[in-house]
Structure formats: structure tokens, C-alpha cells
Amino acid sequence: MTEPLFPSMPPVKQAPKVKPPVPKEINLAFGIWVLSTILASVLQLMDLNAFVDAYLKQVAGTPQADVMSAGTIKGVYIVMVIGVGLLMLLFAWKMRSGRNWARIVLAILAVVSLMMQAAAVGIGSVLSVVGVLITASALVFMFVPASNAYFALFRRPRP
């Protein structure tokens, strides 16, 4: 009996990938982002008429004033608020799924938001303080040690 030059190897059995449980800190950050997105969208939609009035005053006497009506501006504003809200929810969902890029995007947006709130409003209104606390708490929960360990499980080893 002759032996083959290249004996056949037994098939390699791969263990099925088991998704690690989501830590409570990530679930809290996810819940806070959802709450923050819903609250921000509702507040922006409540401010719709003030935005349209301010826009129309700003473009009065320019060629843009004749092109867009108040109804068109309202429609574009509503679509933008809903679009940004859905995008934020997508980032939060991806962050909860272990995608580090989504966590980084949310962190950048949170820092920019905090800086804009501090520059535009200050700490004068109750809503701005609540917004700052909500955003800051989501940011903290995304970067505590348990969250960092969760995201580390999804990193691919570099070749």
C-alpha cells in the first residue's frame, strides 16, 4: 500500500460565533442615546415655526426669498430633523452591536453638541442643563472599562 504524497486533512470544525452579552453600561448608553434623540427631535419640531420665521427674516430681500415658501421650508426642516434622528438611532444601534466606529462617531457628535450648547446657550436654561447631562452621561457610559472590554471583543486581529 502506498501512502499519498499529501494526506487528506480532517475538516477543521469551527465553533459557531457566539455574540457576547451586551454589558449594562452599553445598554444604558443606548437607552440614553435613544431618549436624547427623541427629546431633541421633539424639541426641534416644536421650534419649527420659530425656525421658519427666523429663516424668512434672514433671507428677506434676497433672491432666495422668492424661491422657497414657508411650507417648503417647513417640509425640508421636518425631513432633516427626522433624517438626523434616524441616523443617530442607527449609530446608537451599531454602537450597541459592538461597532467601535459608531461609538467614535457618537463621541464626536456628543463633544460637538456639548461645545455648541456651551457656546450658544450657556448654562442658563434648564433644558440646556438637562441636555448636557444626558449627552455627558451617554458619553461616559460608552467609555467605562466594561464598555471598553466589550468593544475589544469585536476587534479583528491585525495581520
Side-chain angles (χ1 to χ4, degrees):
M1 206 187 274
T2 62
E3 292 190 31
L5 187 58
F6 298 103
S8 64
M9 300 287 293
V12 178
K13 293 182 180 178
Q14 293 181 348
K17 290 187 177 183
V18 177
K19 186 177 177 194
V22 180
K24 66 178 179 185
E25 293 84 359
I26 294 295
N27 283 328
L28 282 169
F30 174 75
I32 293 169
W33 280 117
V34 170
L35 173 69
S36 173
T37 301
I38 291 170
L39 286 176
S41 297
V42 167
L43 289 173
Q44 288 173 349
L45 290 174
M46 287 174 53
D47 224 11
L48 175 64
N49 291 327
F51 173 80
V52 171
D53 292 342
Y55 180 80
L56 290 175
K57 285 179 187 174
Q58 184 177 3
V59 298
T62 65
Q64 293 175 342
D66 297 333
V67 175
M68 294 181 72
S69 68
T72 304
I73 296 168
K74 285 181 182 182
V76 169
Y77 185 81
I78 290 170
V79 168
M80 293 299 293
V81 167
I82 291 171
V84 169
L86 291 175
L87 198 57
M88 290 295 293
L89 292 176
L90 174 69
F91 292 149
W93 182 263
K94 291 294 186 181
M95 181 271 306
R96 187 176 180 273
S97 299
R99 304 293 188 266
N100 195 46
W101 63 264
R103 176 172 74 152
I104 292 168
V105 168
L106 285 171
I108 291 169
L109 292 173
V111 169
V112 169
S113 171
L114 290 172
M115 290 181 357
M116 287 174 50
Q117 286 176 337
V121 181
I123 307 294
S125 78
V126 174
L127 283 177
S128 67
V129 172
V130 169
V132 165
L133 292 176
I134 289 173
T135 303
S137 63
L139 190 58
V140 168
F141 280 125
M142 286 192 313
F143 288 96
V144 295
S147 298
N148 291 335
Y150 175 69
F151 285 103
L153 295 173
F154 292 94
R155 286 196 189 113
R156 293 183 195 154
R158 295 186 182 227

